[in-house]
Amino acid sequence: MTTPSVDAPVDLDALIARLSLEEKVELLTGRDFWSTVPIESIGLRSMTLSDGPSGVRGPVWDERSPSLNLPSASSLSASFDPAVAYRYGRVAAAEARRKGVDVVLGPTINIHRSPLGGRHFEAFSEDPRFTADLAAAYVNGLQDAGVGATPKHYVANDFETERYTADVQVSERALREVYLLAFERAIVESRAWLVMSAYNSINGTTATENDLLTSPLVDEWGFDGVVVSDWTAVRTVDSAKADQHLVMPGPHGPWGAALVKAVRDGEVPEAAIDDKVRRLLRLAQRVGALGDSAAAAVEAEDGPTFAREASAEGMVLLENRGLLPWDASALRSVAVLGSNAEQARTQGGGSATVVPERVDPPLECLVKALPGVDVRYSVGAINQVGLAGLQGDAIVNPVTGGPGARVTFRDADGGELFFEDRLATEFVWFGGDAPIAASRRVETDFTLVPKADAEVEIGCAVTGHARLWIDGELRIDEFLTPEGDDLGAAMLSPRATGVPVSLRAGVPVEVRFEVDLGERDDALAGALAFTVGTRPVQSSPEEMIAEAARVAAESDVAVVVVGTNEKVESEGFDRDSLALPGHQDALVEAVAAVNPRTVVIVNAGSPVLMPWRERVGAVLLGWFGGQEFGHALVDVLTGVVEPGGRLPTTWPAAEADVPVLDVTPVDGVVRYDEGIHVGYRAWLRADATPAYWFGHGAGYATFEAFDLTVDGPVTADRDATVEVTVRNTGDRAGKHVVQLFAEREDSTVERPVRWYVGHAVARLDVAEEARLRIVLSHRALAHWDGGWQVEGGSYTLRAGTTAAELPLTVEVEARD
Ligand code: BGC
C-alpha cells in the first residue's frame, strides 16, 4: 500500500506569510464548481472535489466520461462488514485518481431518522454507532490511498424538505448520542481530511455558522482538516468567523472582497483567515497538491468485480420459503416480470449520481446465465415516474449520422458558440467547457427511431423557457419554473412536461428541443440541466397485469422485480409515501396467486411497503445495487454466492406504524422530539412490531450461536472483550452476523430500551466453528449529560440476529 507522506517537512506558516490578504481570501472560495484556487508562487495546484459517494463522477457529468457505479450506501451498510466498506473506499480512491479527483464528497452519514428521507439510499443506517463503524472504514479506504474523504452533511441533515432553511430543534443529548456520534469516529479515529457543513440550521443557527463546527468538531475531536460548505450553503461574511473554512462552489460567493474588507475593518481577525488557509494547505499536502508531493498512484482491485461482489454482500434475504437458491439445472422456464427487470435502478437521484459505462439489466443477465431455460418477459406494471432520457442506440444525431444527439449553444444573435455530440439525452453541466453563462439558447436535435409501436409522451424537464418541435411542429412552448426555491432541486429534478405521440416501429421522429436561458434565475448562471425523453402511456394496467400473470402461470418460477427509481428516491425532496409506485403491488399479488414459486426482488434504496410479503415464495432486497446489480442478482438466485446482507434499518409493515415519520417543517422547524429514540429504539419504546427489525436477513446456511462471555468489567481505561461461539450447522459455507445490544434496567437516566454496541461477522465452512470477539468500550455504555457519563453498575448484554431476537445474555459491570 503506498501512502503519501502527510508530514512532509513543509513549513505551512512560512508559506502563509508569503501570501497577501487578498490571495489568502481568494483561496477560501472555489475556483469554479469543483476545484480550488491554485497559487503557483507557493507551489499550490488546484484540487478537484467530486461527488460520490458511490463511485466518483469527476468534474463532468457526461456519459462520454463514465464512472464505476458502486452499490448505494444502504446496500454497503447491509453488508455489515467494515472490511467491505474499506475495499469500497479504496476502489473509489482508484476511480478518483483515474478522474483527476483529490477529494471525494462522501460518505453521507446522516441518520435514517425517517424512511421518507429523500437521501435515505445514500446514507448508512438508523443506528449512529453502526453508521460510525462503516463510515470510519470507508474513510480509511479512501485516505490510505491518498484521496480525501468528506463525511457529510454536518449535521442533522436527515431530510430534504426545505433543506436550505429548515431549522432542526434537537436536544443536546440527542445530538451527541445520535447525530454527532455518527461523525465522531470518522474524525477522531479515521482522521477525515474534510467535513461538509450542511444547508439546514441546528437549534436556530445555520450549519455553516454553527458553534458545532468548533465544538465538538475542532476543539474536542481535534479535527485538523477543512470544513467545506455544502454547495451554496454559505450565505454571509459572518460565517468566516465560524470554523467554516472553504466556500463552494466559486468563483463568486459571499466571502471574497467583502471578507477582505471585514478583516481590514477588524471584524474578522486575520488569524482566523490564516487558520483556514493552513487547513487548506495541509489538505493540499495530504493529497499531493503542494510542492513536490505528487499524488500517489492507487493500486486497487478490479472495480466491476468488486462492485458485483459488494452488491451480493448487501442483498438481504427477507423471506425464503424454501425457494432459494434455485437448482438451475432443474429449471425449465422462468417468467421475468416488472419494469425494473428491464430498467434496473442502480443508484438514487441527485448529486450522488454517477454515469456508468453500462448496466446489464437483470432480465438480460438471467437470459445469459440460464442457457436452455425458457426465460419469458412481461412488463406487468410500469413504475417510471417522470421522463426517461433516451440512449444512443434509440436516437440518431442528425449532423453526424451516428448514434446520439447534437447539442448547440447559441448567443443572443443566434450565433453558434459551442456544440457537443452526446450519446444520451439527460444533460447536466456544472462548469466544464460548455459556455452556459454566455449562451442565450441551447438546442438539442436528434431523430428517434422506435424499435416497436408504442403510445408515449415525448417531453422535456428543465428550469427555463422550453420549446419542443416534433417533426417540425412546435408542440411545447412553455416557461417551466421550479417547485420551491431549492436551487439543487431546480437543477436536478426540474419540472417536466410532455405531449402524446404514437410511435411506429422503424418510423423516425425528428425532435428538436430548445431552452431559452434569458429569463432564468441568475443564481443558476453557469449551470444547466435538462432531459429530453419519453414516458410511457399506460393504457390498461389490468390487461398488463393479466398478461404478466398468464406468463407466470405457465412458468416453473416467477421473478418479479419491483422497485422505485431516481425520481422517487433523490436528493432535493423527500418521499411522500412508502408504497411502491404504480401498480406494482397488484402485479405481485396477481403473480403470487397463480405461481407459489414467486420470488420478488426489491430494487429500492429505502424501505418500501410489501403488503404481499407473506404470500410469496421469497423476497430478496437488492437495493440500488450498482452497475453490476443484475449479475450479482443472478449469482444469488442461483446460489453461486449467498445473499450477504442484513437490514441496517428497521422496515415497517405499514406507514401508520412508523414511530418517527415526519420530514416536513412546520413554520420552518422540524422538531426531533423523539430525542435519542430513533429507529429500532423508537419501535421498541412504542412496543410496535415492524415488518423486519434492524439486523434481519439470512444467508443460505444455518448457524448456531452459544457461549456468550465477557472478560471482566469495563472501565474508562479498560475495554471489555465479549466473545461468542458460532457454528455453521448448514450444508454449505455461509456468513453469519452476531449483533450485540446493551440494556440497563432500573437506570437513573432515560435510556433506549436497548441500544446497539457492536457486531461481528463470521464466514464459516460446513460444520466449522469460530469464537467471535466484539470489543465493548466504556463509551458504548455512556450517556450525555453535559459530558459523557457512565452510570456504574451492571448492564445486560444481549446477542442475536436482530434488534429484537437476542437469545444470548451476559452481564457486564461498568466502573469509572
Ligand atoms: C449536496 C451535496 C453534494 C453537493 C455537490 C449538494 O446539493 O447536498 O451532497 O456533495 O451538492 O454536488
Side-chain angles (χ1 to χ4, degrees):
M1 190 181 297
T2 39
T3 306
S5 162
V6 295
D7 300 315
V10 178
D11 181 349
L12 299 183
D13 287 328
L15 293 184
I16 295 170
R18 282 164 49 192
L19 300 176
S20 67
L21 177 61
E22 282 77 4
E23 281 176 312
K24 291 190 253 186
V25 167
E26 201 193 345
L27 263 185
L28 305 181
T29 295
R31 175 175 68 171
D32 51 33
F33 231 87
W34 304 114
S35 69
T36 60
V37 170
I39 302 190
E40 221 175 283
S41 64
I42 58 166
L44 174 69
R45 69 162 169 82
S46 170
M47 294 178 275
T48 301
L49 289 63
S50 171
D51 298 311
S54 299
V56 183
R57 191 171 59 244
V60 292
W61 189 315
D62 189 322
E63 71 289 342
R64 295 167 302 172
S65 172
S67 303
L68 179 71
N69 169 202
L70 291 166
S72 296
S74 49
S75 164
L76 171 60
S77 56
S79 75
F80 264 70
D81 194 341
V84 175
Y86 182 88
R87 290 166 61 199
Y88 187 103
R90 191 155 185 99
V91 166
E95 273 289 277
R97 280 285 175 254
R98 184 176 72 80
K99 296 209 144 211
V101 166
D102 301 290
V103 168
V104 172
L105 300 171
T108 302
I109 53 176
N110 297 114
I111 293 291
H112 289 167
R113 174 176 173 269
S114 161
L116 292 176
R119 298 181 85 166
H120 195 106
F121 72 90
E122 206 184 313
F124 287 113
S125 169
E126 66 191 6
D127 186 87
R129 184 169 297 278
F130 180 68
T131 295
D133 289 349
L134 273 292
Y138 176 56
V139 170
N140 288 339
L142 272 173
Q143 295 193 167
D144 281 354
V147 173
T150 315
K152 67 186 185 183
H153 310 80
Y154 189 88
V155 63
N157 181 185
D158 313 295
F159 58 91
E160 292 294 284
T161 310
E162 298 175 24
R163 64 177 171 157
Y164 276 87
T165 51
D167 182 35
V168 172
Q169 290 285 329
V170 52
S171 70
E172 191 186 342
R173 181 165 178 208
L175 261 179
R176 286 290 189 152
E177 292 188 25
V178 182
Y179 302 97
L180 290 169
L181 186 64
F183 282 83
E184 191 174 338
R185 233 185 117 182
I187 312 302
V188 175
E189 287 178 30
S190 300
R191 310 215 51 87
W193 297 344
L194 301 93
V195 163
M196 185 186 287
S197 50
Y199 289 127
N200 52 286
S201 292
I202 308 100
N203 294 330
T205 308
T206 196
T208 51
E209 301 178 22
N210 204 293
D211 286 345
L212 292 167
L213 294 175
T214 303
S215 186
L217 182 64
V218 169
D219 62 13
E220 236 178 81
W221 296 349
F223 176 66
D224 66 357
V226 172
V227 174
V228 54
S229 70
D230 199 344
W231 266 228
T232 70
V234 167
R235 283 154 258 199
T236 66
V237 171
D238 249 22
S239 56
K241 293 182 194 157
D243 265 301
Q244 173 65 53
H245 309 127
L246 174 63
V247 171
M248 286 301 284
H252 309 294
W255 287 7
L259 182 52
V260 171
K261 181 171 182 309
V263 174
R264 295 243 153 86
D265 293 350
E267 282 161 29
V268 176
E270 187 153 357
I273 305 298
D274 289 351
D275 175 62
K276 297 179 206 300
V277 172
R278 193 175 299 111
R279 288 165 180 276
L280 217 70
L281 295 182
R282 191 179 292 131
L283 173 66
Q285 225 181 338
R286 288 169 161 165
V287 301
L290 187 63
D292 301 329
S293 55
V298 177
E299 282 164 34
E301 61 191 302
D302 179 63
T305 308
F306 171 73
R308 181 171 179 163
E309 190 191 327
S311 178
E313 275 288 335
M315 286 187 189
V316 185
L317 190 58
L318 294 172
E319 303 278 347
N320 189 13
R321 301 187 171 86
L323 210 57
L324 295 179
W326 291 335
D327 173 2
S329 64
L331 277 183
R332 282 168 297 125
S333 53
V334 178
V336 181
L337 315 162
S339 52
N340 282 39
E342 223 188 356
Q343 302 226 322
R345 268 320 294 180
T346 63
Q347 55 187 331
S351 66
T353 309
V354 299
V355 188
E357 187 165 5
R358 53 161 192 86
V359 171
D360 300 327
L363 173 61
E364 199 181 300
C365 297
L366 277 164
V367 170
K368 275 199 193 132
L370 300 172
V373 177
D374 180 18
V375 179
R376 289 166 64 195
Y377 178 66
S378 174
V379 62
I382 288 167
N383 90 8
Q384 185 182 320
V385 178
L387 287 177
L390 299 159
Q391 301 294 324
D393 57 348
I395 50 176
V396 176
N397 180 323
V399 185
T400 65
R406 163 66 59 102
V407 185
T408 313
F409 295 76
R410 296 194 187 279
D411 62 21
D413 304 324
E416 181 178 313
L417 297 173
F418 185 75
F419 71 86
E420 287 183 349
D421 286 320
R422 300 290 295 263
L423 300 170
T425 61
E426 266 178 75
F427 306 98
V428 182
W429 293 273
F430 287 133
D433 294 336
I436 309 292
S439 298
R440 172 66 199 241
R441 271 183 8 235
V442 181
E443 298 164 359
T444 305
D445 290 282
F446 60 88
T447 305
L448 171 63
V449 188
K451 288 195 180 125
D453 292 358
E455 297 302 314
V456 299
E457 276 191 10
I458 297 183
C460 52
V462 70
T463 295
H465 193 148
R467 293 190 184 89
L468 184 90
W469 289 261
I470 296 173
D471 287 331
E473 187 189 338
L474 181 64
R475 300 280 304 271
I476 294 173
D477 186 353
E478 197 177 334
F479 191 88
L480 295 170
T481 47
E483 284 157 13
D485 53 8
D486 184 326
L487 288 178
M491 284 294 297
L492 298 177
S493 317
R495 272 190 38 219
T497 186
V499 289
V501 176
S502 297
L503 299 179
R504 295 289 158 258
V507 178
V509 179
E510 271 174 38
V511 179
R512 156 164 287 208
F513 171 67
E514 182 184 291
V515 55
D516 188 328
L517 305 180
E519 303 154 53
R520 290 200 322 161
D521 185 330
D522 274 356
L524 293 171
L528 175 64
F530 61 84
T531 297
V532 194
T534 58
R535 58 185 165 207
V537 176
Q538 195 163 357
S539 45
S540 166
E542 295 77 16
E543 271 171 36
M544 290 172 78
I545 289 174
E547 167 62 15
R550 198 179 54 72
V551 175
E554 290 165 0
S555 306
D556 286 350
V557 295
V559 181
V560 194
V561 187
V562 298
T564 64
N565 57 43
E566 82 287 9
K567 302 286 187 328
V568 175
E569 294 185 57
S570 174
E571 174 183 335
F573 52 88
D574 293 305
R575 286 194 295 168
D576 53 14
S577 160
L578 298 179
L580 285 168
H583 301 274
Q584 298 184 89
D585 286 334
L587 170 66
V588 176
E589 297 281 8
V591 170
V594 296
N595 192 330
R597 294 167 58 78
T598 294
V599 182
V600 182
I601 313 298
V602 181
N603 179 201
S606 326
V608 292
L609 303 177
M610 297 175 285
W612 32 258
R613 68 187 192 283
E614 280 158 3
R615 293 186 288 278
V616 295
V619 183
L620 179 65
L621 169 58
W623 307 103
F624 289 150
Q627 67 177 49
E628 303 300 320
F629 170 64
H631 294 289
L633 187 59
V634 171
D635 290 344
V636 168
L637 291 173
T638 55
V640 174
V641 297
E642 275 205 313
R646 308 293 184 265
L647 285 182
T649 284
T650 303
W651 278 43
E655 215 160 284
D657 300 343
V658 181
V660 180
L661 189 65
D662 183 39
V663 286
T664 308
V666 176
D667 296 331
V669 173
V670 175
R671 305 189 59 86
Y672 283 17
D673 284 340
E674 70 286 351
I676 56 173
H677 305 283
V678 178
Y680 62 84
R681 303 172 180 187
W683 287 87
L684 288 166
R685 186 167 70 145
D687 205 11
T689 308
Y692 306 109
W693 287 100
F694 172 97
H696 178 87
Y700 293 146
T702 50
F703 289 86
E704 211 170 68
F706 50 92
D707 199 11
L708 180 70
T709 61
V710 61
D711 70 346
V714 58
T715 72
D717 304 321
R718 178 188 186 278
D719 293 340
T721 302
V722 180
E723 291 192 342
V724 62
T725 303
V726 172
R727 180 185 300 142
N728 183 342
T729 55
D731 55 9
R732 55 176 288 161
K735 168 178 175 183
H736 188 66
V737 180
V738 175
Q739 301 156 38
L740 190 69
F741 288 79
E743 290 178 2
R744 172 75 184 215
E745 247 184 88
D746 305 324
S747 177
T748 55
V749 288
E750 181 196 343
R751 288 189 183 266
V753 174
R754 72 180 65 103
W755 63 99
Y756 165 92
V757 291
H759 77 274
V761 176
R763 295 173 193 274
L764 299 177
D765 269 334
V766 178
E768 198 187 349
E769 197 173 284
R771 191 95 179 121
L772 304 186
R773 292 179 149 205
I774 300 169
V775 174
L776 180 74
S777 68
H778 209 228
R779 260 297 292 284
L781 303 177
H783 64 277
W784 180 264
D785 184 5
W788 291 108
Q789 315 285 341
V790 175
E791 196 183 1
S794 182
Y795 291 73
T796 305
L797 299 179
R798 300 186 57 178
T801 50
T802 75
E805 285 134 290
L806 299 161
L808 306 176
T809 60
V810 68
E811 295 293 308
V812 66
E813 187 71 15
R815 299 187 199 139
D816 283 342

